[in-house]
Amino acid sequence: MPEAFIYDHMRTPRGRGKKDGSLHEVPAVRLAAHTLNSLRDRNDIDTKTVDDVILGCVDPVGEAGSDIARAAIFEANYDICVPGMQINRFCASGLDSVNLAAGKIEAGSEDIVIAGGVESMSRVGIGASGGAWPMDPSVAVPSYFMPQGVSADLIATKYGFSRDDVDAYSVESQKRSAKSWADGNFDKSVVAVKDINGLTILDHDEHMRPDTNMQSLASLNASFVMMGEMGGFDYVAIQAHPEVEAVNHVHHAGNSSGIVDGAAGVLMGSKRGGRSLGLKPRAKIHSQHWIRSCLDVDRPD
């Protein structure tokens, strides 16, 4: 069976996903195309050799709608025959695009694939695509639907993570991120986003807070208390997990994942595909695994 290799990877900086974020004026399709262009130019790829482009996108609606991977191919001036696929596995969308690409390569159906993901959360907000799961009671009730923030608080409660635990993890994460940038660890993998005049819009991760400390985080209120208590989702959480007596709300803006704009791409291929491009592999995919998205819920009959 053919093996799947990683030949290169590049991403944009992560812009703050708000109206005042540096990448707010850049549509998602251009962020994705910027990554495709960067991979093509750095590796001198004849785009006719690319068998597929797979991009994860959680809210593929509006300007990010339809098949954004195919649109990004046109925007990046790739060969018009290159196909594109958009997938959605929520927060695992980009990772699963890499898994899917690896599977296609290992199956022998494709030799060169670019996989990754793109979001412009300042322009297409969380939940913009709607859907039956949160909206239709016949789906939401039996599945114990609850918002992601309440779910995170439930996980922390269920497995014994305190407010201090998650705050300390956040502080350490910020320190490591700042050190990695200072040490130049991202110099070859992050490509600055520029405007049509060639002027740099953003060349660093805008969401970092390297001065974060335990004291500053302690001053922030938990973000999902009202949603859990007043919105009734704490009751849903306890109903799904009766061993939990009450949900301890520990997450807030300072220790939650960032709301950001950006895109990333991974150049992948078989040994034959890499040889055709004159590239040496940087890593090999040994296995893939999809995590089951449940916490030992006992479903009602």
Side-chain angles (χ1 to χ4, degrees), residues 100-166:
L100 180 57
K104 289 160 77 74
I105 293 165
E106 290 167 347
S109 62
E110 296 177 353
D111 280 319
I112 297 294
V113 183
I114 296 176
V118 59
E119 301 288 344
S120 180
M121 302 182 77
S122 68
R123 299 173 67 91
V124 181
I126 296 176
S129 56
W133 189 16
M135 302 295 183
D136 186 340
S138 68
V139 178
V141 173
S143 66
Y144 299 110
F145 171 80
M146 64 193 85
Q148 188 178 40
V150 177
S151 297
D153 288 335
L154 168 64
I155 293 171
T157 303
K158 185 178 175 73
Y159 295 103
F161 294 100
S162 68
R163 168 73 180 253
D164 281 350
D165 290 333
V166 293

Side-chain angles (χ1 to χ4, degrees), residues 13 16 30 35 40-41 54 82 112 132 180 184 229 256 267 282 286:
R16 189 168 55 251
R30 293 204 183 114
T35 305
R40 177 197 61 205
D41 296 344
I54 308 172
V82 177
I112 297 294
S180 292
E229 296 180 357
S256 299
L267 177 61
R282 300 177 63 179
H286 288 275

Side-chain angles (χ1 to χ4, degrees), residues 34-106:
H34 185 58
T35 305
L36 294 181
N37 282 333
S38 300
L39 284 171
R40 177 197 61 205
D41 296 344
R42 184 158 80 176
N43 295 282
D44 194 24
I45 299 172
D46 179 354
T47 58
K48 291 180 180 179
T49 64
V50 178
D51 295 310
D52 206 353
V53 173
I54 308 172
L55 295 180
C57 184
V58 176
D59 282 297
V61 295
E63 63 186 37
S66 185
D67 182 350
I68 194 169
R70 182 73 167 136
I73 288 167
F74 298 139
E75 178 72 15
N77 292 317
Y78 270 44
D79 186 271
I80 197 169
C81 296
V82 177
M85 177 194 305
Q86 176 269 324
I87 68 170
N88 182 2
R89 183 92 76 169
F90 297 134
C91 293
S93 298
L95 178 61
D96 266 0
S97 73
V98 173
N99 288 339
L100 180 57
K104 289 160 77 74
I105 293 165
E106 290 167 347

Side-chain angles (χ1 to χ4, degrees), residues 14-24 121-122 202 205-207 209 259-261:
R14 299 184 183 101
R16 189 168 55 251
K18 304 291 183 181
K19 299 298 183 183
D20 61 348
S22 294
L23 297 181
H24 169 61
M121 302 182 77
S122 68
L202 187 65
D205 285 342
E206 193 174 31
H207 195 263
R209 301 285 191 277
I259 304 298
V260 299
D261 301 336

